[in-house]
Amino acid sequence: MSRTTPTASRRPHLLKTLFNLRREEITPVLIAALFFFCVLTALMLLRPVRDVLGMERGIENIRWLFIGTAVVTLAVNPLFGWLVSRLKRLQFIGATYGFFVLSLVAFWAMLMFAPAAVGQRSGQVFFVWFSVFNLFVTMVFWALLADRFTSDQGKRFFALISVGGTLGAIFGPWLTSQLALPLGTPSLLLVAGGFLLLALTLAWLLVRVAPDQASADTTTVGFISEYERIGGSAWAGLRAVFRSRYLTGIAGYILLMTVLATFIYFTRLQMVAAVSDNMDVRAEILGNIDMWTQVAVLVLQLTLTGKIIQRYGLGVALAILPVATALGFIGLAIYGSFLVLILLEATTRALQRGVTRPAREALFTAVDREDKYKAKAFVDTFIYRAGDVVGAQTEGALGRLGLAIGGLVSVVVPLALGWAALGFWLGRTQAGRVALPPTIPVLSGEYGGLDQPIEKSVSSSVPETRARVAQTQAKPWL
């Protein structure tokens, strides 16, 4: 006994030192990482197919596909909001993932039993469908994490959980290379669907293993039992984004991020198209870029991400990507080589996934549960795709004016400076929101009942909250 006790006592200290984890947090973090691994594996199994099909009718066609994707995401948001309002949490998560699994089965059936119907139009449909699928499955994952973990936990180990996604993003393309020939491309859709079903199982397990984690933190706002429906309007997410400066700031940050990322995306497609007009060669080049990007992401996540957020805060973590993007475009304008482009894309995507994504997901730990699903869905889908549209059309307009990369730099640098400033502001605001007093208990009598909390969140208006508390002082607390 004397030998095992010191070893057992050293393990929590080792976990705290290496990963900033407590013993009781190991299981939920591991489940969340496996959950993200399955989601990203499914996505990366299908991504090369999406990009190659999109390029079949030329790069200009992709700009219009981005518009189609934005319109579809806007149309789907009220439906998702309705599901969130009417169903319990695991039910609407299951409905979302189940829909995409059935869609994959439908695409598989078309490829297997009606291959003559597969053409350029169906490839465009798949491009739009995958773009919507990509956003919604990752949005639901991060919304659940923001709901299950506290603000402090999000800052400490969202980056560690992201490692699971990065490993999935590496494993997915590798699995595609191993299975494409023996099974055929259509069967990859079923494999991706299997990973989504496994992800849904892990979502259920995460809720069971870490029940009501958010309620243990006095800074958590708008807590609702997970056995209750969230309720509200199907359009509540859209309204919340435009009524809250904080949520509007998050939307603006994501809009600027996607605009500049789209500049990089089209610059890459144009350079790849200039290298070769062969579909297989293009797919190989794009695959190599993805592989090295994921390696860079993994290195960042295992070494720097958690330390940056913990030591310097969310503001600095959110400002790193804008600065790196501006510097990368300046370097691309000076040298203009394919190698510089690869370095630019690998660096920005590594920072976006390894540093920025965990930091901006931690922003949602400071909002109430309805906004974590409805407002987040609107921001992470429509606002994200609207940024794609704005970026694609702006880049195309500059190209038609003959400004090329030099013209892009003149646009990128000012946008990046505003983007960085917005990141600093969001970091400070998030810290202020989680430092507010705890949620007000539910009141009885004419001002509320068990199903009518007097305040959904004190973050909405502290003076108004205090006034209402004073007004109802005489009322008994439940």
Side-chain angles (χ1 to χ4, degrees):
M1 293 296 293
S2 60
R3 292 183 178 180
T4 58
T5 301
T7 302
S9 65
R10 283 197 299 268
R11 285 174 185 167
H13 178 70
L14 182 62
L15 290 170
K16 177 72 175 176
T17 302
L18 293 180
F19 302 113
N20 208 5
L21 277 179
R22 303 184 183 102
R23 179 182 293 176
E24 66 274 12
E25 295 169 339
I26 298 173
T27 300
V29 168
L30 181 60
I31 292 172
L34 288 172
F35 182 5
F36 203 22
F37 173 85
C38 292
V39 169
L40 264 293
T41 297
L43 290 177
M44 297 306 290
L45 271 167
L46 304 173
R47 179 172 173 171
V49 179
R50 190 278 306 261
D51 286 342
V52 170
L53 288 176
M55 294 178 67
E56 276 296 279
R57 296 186 64 182
I59 293 175
E60 193 64 30
N61 179 64
I62 297 179
R63 303 186 203 280
W64 292 104
L65 291 177
F66 276 15
I67 295 176
T69 301
V71 171
V72 172
T73 54
L74 180 61
V76 170
N77 261 279
L79 175 60
F80 181 78
W82 181 85
L83 289 175
V84 173
S85 300
R86 299 295 184 271
L87 302 179
K88 297 176 183 178
R89 181 169 43 192
L90 284 177
Q91 289 176 337
F92 68 73
I93 292 175
T96 303
Y97 278 63
F99 168 78
F100 286 116
V101 170
L102 291 176
S103 299
L104 285 170
V105 173
F107 278 119
W108 170 81
M110 183 176 68
L111 289 170
M112 290 296 296
F113 303 111
V118 179
Q120 289 184 342
R121 185 65 62 188
S122 57
Q124 292 173 331
V125 171
F126 184 82
F127 185 98
V128 173
W129 174 90
F130 178 86
S131 300
V132 175
F133 161 69
N134 176 18
L135 293 179
F136 268 94
V137 295
T138 53
M139 178 277 298
V140 168
F141 167 79
W142 283 110
L144 182 61
L145 258 64
D147 202 10
R148 303 315 297 159
F149 298 117
T150 66
S151 177
D152 171 69
Q153 289 173 325
K155 293 176 183 176
R156 286 192 292 112
F157 49 67
F158 273 12
L160 183 60
I161 291 172
S162 296
V163 172
T166 302
L167 292 174
I170 295 172
F171 181 69
W174 177 84
L175 193 61
T176 298
S177 67
Q178 298 300 307
L179 299 180
L181 289 178
L183 296 183
T185 300
S187 298
L188 295 179
L189 304 180
L190 297 182
V191 175
F195 275 100
L196 282 183
L197 291 177
L198 183 56
L200 183 58
T201 303
L202 290 166
W204 175 86
L205 188 59
L206 178 63
V207 172
R208 294 296 180 267
V209 169
D212 298 338
Q213 277 277 47
S215 62
D217 184 7
T218 58
T219 64
T220 300
V221 294
F223 174 73
I224 302 172
S225 168
E226 81 177 46
Y227 299 105
E228 299 176 10
R229 296 179 179 87
I230 292 176
S233 164
W235 295 92
L238 188 151
R239 290 197 296 266
V241 169
F242 293 105
R243 287 178 179 176
S244 166
R245 285 195 305 167
Y246 183 67
L247 290 173
T248 302
I250 296 175
Y253 185 91
I254 291 176
L255 182 69
L256 289 170
M257 180 187 72
T258 51
V259 166
L260 298 184
T262 304
F263 288 170
I264 299 175
Y265 177 74
F266 277 98
T267 302
R268 176 183 69 161
L269 292 184
Q270 290 167 1
M271 286 193 169
V272 170
V275 170
S276 174
D277 57 1
N278 183 275
M279 182 186 300
D280 294 335
V281 174
R282 289 177 176 180
E284 181 182 3
I285 294 173
L286 293 172
N288 285 331
I289 293 174
D290 283 341
M291 182 188 69
W292 288 110
T293 297
Q294 299 306 328
V295 171
V297 172
L298 185 61
V299 171
L300 272 178
Q301 289 170 334
L302 291 174
T303 56
L304 296 177
T305 305
K307 295 180 177 62
I308 290 173
I309 296 175
Q310 282 287 293
R311 182 168 181 177
Y312 300 106
L314 295 179
V316 171
L318 291 169
I320 290 175
L321 180 59
V323 173
T325 301
L327 293 176
F329 264 99
I330 292 172
L332 189 61
I334 294 173
Y335 297 102
S337 69
F338 195 72
L339 177 61
V340 174
L341 171 71
I342 294 175
L343 290 174
L344 169 61
E345 183 161 23
T347 301
T348 54
R349 286 171 64 184
L351 287 172
Q352 196 275 329
R353 297 176 188 178
V355 178
T356 304
R357 186 65 187 259
R360 70 180 175 89
E361 296 302 339
L363 296 174
F364 283 97
T365 61
V367 302
D368 62 52
R369 178 166 289 174
E370 185 175 17
D371 289 341
K372 284 173 183 173
Y373 289 100
K374 295 181 182 178
K376 181 173 175 55
F378 179 72
V379 169
D380 281 5
T381 58
F382 176 70
I383 297 297
Y384 197 102
R385 288 311 179 202
D388 286 342
V389 172
V390 173
Q393 298 304 318
T394 303
E395 190 273 341
L398 291 174
R400 287 190 291 272
L401 291 173
L403 298 180
I405 192 65
L408 278 180
V409 171
S410 65
V411 174
V412 166
V413 173
L415 287 178
L417 292 176
W419 180 19
L422 184 56
F424 277 118
W425 179 83
L426 286 170
R428 290 198 308 270
T429 305
Q430 194 270 355
R433 288 172 72 92
V434 299
L436 286 172
T439 305
I440 296 175
V442 178
L443 298 178
S444 64
E446 62 182 294
Y447 291 96
L450 284 174
D451 59 342
Q452 290 181 313
I454 188 170
E455 284 291 336
K456 185 168 67 173
S457 166
V458 297
S459 64
S460 58
S461 175
V462 174
E464 180 185 351
T465 300
R466 289 173 178 166
R468 296 183 68 180
V469 170
Q471 186 181 16
T472 57
Q473 256 181 332
K475 299 291 178 182
W477 296 96
L478 289 180

